[in-house]
């Protein structure tokens, strides 16, 4: 491992091969609260993987276990083929960017970033070169002599990032590193982190409860709930083909319509309101049959608003509220059965008038079909 064998060779921030992380059968409780249950996950070398889940779902606990800040009750953490389950954090050679893993307040930016190199016994000439390069990478050159309190929040976050990367770690762990920043700065730093990660090649495990941030940054996303993996996949798949109701609802707005399976001449179809029928997608459980209920989810941006009834499926609705969001309109409407239905349409199109009657049309292939959450075999 690089941290236990400090070298005086060139240690500039150069492409490094990220390490594979294997989390096997990890269980962890605090008191009698089970926080992680039989957790299995493999992060591929050089992958950017995000743990996404609501507050309390176990994201930080899992990240701390990978980083060696918490020892799990059961299971193992293998990094680059080495079982690190019991190894202390400082011997794992990982970079950390944690929201509460603050900069040393009395040390300059230069000294903060140099710290991981100093504890590794790197020569001072080399440290100067590496720190300069790390600050350049996060666009903070020239600010080395400032104290953390003389920097903005976003600049401090970038110093943390430089400190996490300066020693060429093969794994970088980030827990809500952009949590307290405004949207613009968040987006800027999301891009910086992703570009740096692609350039350097470390394996990244990133924690957020913001689904847009997870989508924007990740190769793959793990949706967590109650200490278990609910879905693991590339962002597009998690968004377009959620495997369960919790995931569908957590990763974005979704309109839900009840459907019933019916036997037609050509096999099963889904019957929904107003005489519409939908094809049964292949992923819907084969154990379902005639009369079984399903939940049909339609993302707001998949819907086209029409003034006249055209195409199928389509539902009649009354427009209740139109709000302008710059690049889109969000249209709150109400279906004939009284349910709310949200539509998001490009602001390059005319918005419907509030109070008007419209027809909502979508491509039936875009329907997300789920088994209802109240459980049906
Ligand atoms: N040191 C601790 N002692 C007792 N319980 C803890 C401790 N750390 C976490 N927990 C509990 O474990 C559960 C998971 O916490 P964790 O911090 O991993 O969640 P999280 O997904 O990171 O949430 P958030 O999005 O709010 O940061 C929560 O119920 C929390 O209260
Ligand atoms: Mg947390």
């Amino acid at each position: 491992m690089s941290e236990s064998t400090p070298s005086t060779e060139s240690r500039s921030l150069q492409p490094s091969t990220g390490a594979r992380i294997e989390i096997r059968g990890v269980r962890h409780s605090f008191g009698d609260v089970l926080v992680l249950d039989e957790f299995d996950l493999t992060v591929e070398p050089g992958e950017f993987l995000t743990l996404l889940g609501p507050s309390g779902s176990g994201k930080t606990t899992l990240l701390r276990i990978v980083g060696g800040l918490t020892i799990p009750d059961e299971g193992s953490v293998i990094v680059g083929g080495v079982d690190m389950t019991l190894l202390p954090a400082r011997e794992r050679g990982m970079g950390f960017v944690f929201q509460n893993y603050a900069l040393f307040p009395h040390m300059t930016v230069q000294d903060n970033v140099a710290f991981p190199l100093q504890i590794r016994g790197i020569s001072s000439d080399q440290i100067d070169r590496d720190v300069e390069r790390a600050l350049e990478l996060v666009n903070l050159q020239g600010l080395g002599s400032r104290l953390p309190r003389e920097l903005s929040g976003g600049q401090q976050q970038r110093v943390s990032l430089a400190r996490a990367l300066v020693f060429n770690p093969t794994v970088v762990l980030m827990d809500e590193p952009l949590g307290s920043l405004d949207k613009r700065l968040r987006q800027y730093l999301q891009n910086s982190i992703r570009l740096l990660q692609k350039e350097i090649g470390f394996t990244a495990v990133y924690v957020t409860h913001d689904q847009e941030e997870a989508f924007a940054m990740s190769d793959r996303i793990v949706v967590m709930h109650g200490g278990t993996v609910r879905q693991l996949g590339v962002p597009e798949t998690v968004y377009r083909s959620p495997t369960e109701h919790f995931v569908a609802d957590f990763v974005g707005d979704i309109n839900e319509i009840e459907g019933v399976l019916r036997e037609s001449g050509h096999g099963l179809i889904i019957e929904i309101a107003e005489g519409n029928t939908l094809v049964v997608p292949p992923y819907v459980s084969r154990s379902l049959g005639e009369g079984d209920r399903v939940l049909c989810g339609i993302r707001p941006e998949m819907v086209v608003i029409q003034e006249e009834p055209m195409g199928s499926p389509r539902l009649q609705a009354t427009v209740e509220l139109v709000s302008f969001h710059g690049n889109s309109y969000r249209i709150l409407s109400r279906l004939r059965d009284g349910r709310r239905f949200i539509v998001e349409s490009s602001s390059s199109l005319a918005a419907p008038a509030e109070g008007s009657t419209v027809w909502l049309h979508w491509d039936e292939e875009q329907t997300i079909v789920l088994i209802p959450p109240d459980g049906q075999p």
Side-chain angles (χ1 to χ4, degrees):
M1 284 176 309
S2 58
E3 81 287 356
S4 57
T5 52
S7 99
T8 49
E9 294 159 24
S10 169
R11 292 176 54 92
S12 59
L13 301 185
Q14 35 183 249
S16 69
T17 313
R20 172 178 281 108
I21 305 170
E22 294 158 82
I23 299 163
R24 294 197 189 144
V26 163
R27 280 172 76 90
H28 195 69
S29 301
F30 291 109
D32 52 9
V33 180
L34 182 64
V35 172
L36 292 171
D37 191 13
E38 284 298 316
F39 206 100
D40 288 306
L41 176 67
T42 300
V43 191
E44 297 300 333
E47 181 174 28
F48 198 111
L49 182 124
T50 296
L51 308 176
L52 173 70
S55 186
S57 57
K59 307 180 297 293
T60 295
T61 306
L62 185 67
L63 203 71
R64 289 175 60 90
I65 287 171
V66 174
L69 301 165
T70 300
I71 304 293
D73 295 341
E74 281 177 44
S76 48
V77 176
I78 296 156
V79 183
V82 178
D83 189 333
M84 295 197 175
T85 317
L86 302 175
L87 207 63
R90 64 180 178 282
E91 290 173 33
R92 294 194 184 195
M94 298 177 179
F96 292 95
V97 190
F98 282 1
Q99 204 178 0
N100 54 1
Y101 196 70
L103 298 171
F104 305 114
H106 303 294
M107 280 162 57
T108 61
V109 166
Q110 165 84 22
D111 291 345
N112 264 283
V113 178
F115 182 77
L117 300 172
Q118 270 158 356
I119 59 171
R120 288 172 171 78
I122 311 292
S123 73
S124 58
D125 282 0
Q126 188 66 49
I127 289 179
D128 288 347
R129 282 198 292 275
D130 288 356
V131 171
E132 193 184 337
R133 171 90 178 107
L135 289 177
E136 240 173 64
L137 275 174
V138 296
N139 230 334
L140 285 180
Q141 54 273 54
L143 296 187
S145 58
R146 294 223 195 148
L147 290 169
R149 66 164 182 273
E150 296 166 335
L151 299 174
S152 73
Q155 289 169 331
Q156 290 180 27
Q157 297 283 9
R158 280 184 276 162
V159 178
S160 296
L161 195 60
R163 186 176 62 177
L165 299 178
V166 72
F167 59 100
N168 275 0
T170 55
V171 171
V172 178
L173 308 177
M174 292 171 268
D175 192 353
E176 311 239 10
L178 311 180
S180 53
L181 306 174
D182 70 50
K183 191 174 172 191
R184 228 191 158 85
L185 194 53
R186 270 178 93 103
Q187 283 176 344
Y188 173 80
L189 288 176
Q190 283 167 7
N191 291 336
S192 313
I193 291 173
R194 189 60 167 130
L195 286 169
L196 279 174
Q197 189 263 340
K198 285 188 183 213
E199 184 183 335
I200 299 170
F202 54 83
T203 305
V205 186
Y206 192 92
V207 166
T208 182
H209 58 258
D210 177 339
Q211 72 278 12
E212 280 182 29
E213 182 162 292
F215 287 145
M217 297 184 77
S218 319
D219 291 314
R220 287 190 304 165
I221 294 174
V222 180
V223 182
M224 291 176 62
H225 188 41
T228 58
V229 175
R230 306 316 276 263
Q231 189 165 359
L232 166 61
V234 300
E236 289 87 344
T237 304
V238 171
Y239 186 76
R240 294 185 190 139
S241 308
T243 51
E244 59 170 280
H245 185 263
F246 170 79
V247 176
D249 195 37
F250 186 72
V251 301
D253 288 330
I254 193 156
N255 297 292
E256 292 173 357
I257 291 178
E258 284 167 11
V260 181
L261 292 187
R262 295 286 177 219
E263 204 56 72
S264 79
H266 313 284
L268 279 177
I269 53 162
I270 303 168
E271 206 173 80
I272 60 168
E274 298 177 37
N276 291 287
T277 58
L278 305 171
V279 289
V280 179
Y283 59 81
V284 170
S285 167
R286 289 178 203 286
S287 61
L288 295 183
E290 164 80 27
D292 284 337
R293 291 187 306 120
V294 288
L295 209 52
C296 299
I298 302 120
R299 298 273 183 218
E301 71 279 13
M302 299 301 179
V303 178
V304 179
I305 294 196
Q306 300 174 330
E307 288 178 1
E308 302 294 333
M310 277 186 299
S312 161
R314 63 162 189 263
L315 296 169
Q316 192 180 332
T318 307
V319 175
E320 289 192 331
L321 187 67
V322 176
S323 54
F324 178 62
H325 294 262
N327 55 3
S328 67
Y329 285 109
R330 282 176 72 80
I331 297 136
L332 267 187
S333 70
R334 201 169 287 277
L335 301 179
R336 282 161 66 183
D337 66 4
R339 280 180 180 247
R340 269 271 165 75
F341 201 106
I342 303 173
V343 180
E344 189 177 312
S345 69
S346 167
S347 61
S348 60
L349 303 171
E354 289 175 358
S356 63
T357 297
V358 294
W359 281 265
L360 310 175
H361 167 62
W362 70 96
D363 176 354
E364 67 176 308
E365 313 248 309
Q366 309 272 19
T367 313
I368 298 165
V369 181
L370 300 159
I371 313 294
D374 49 336
Q376 179 173 323

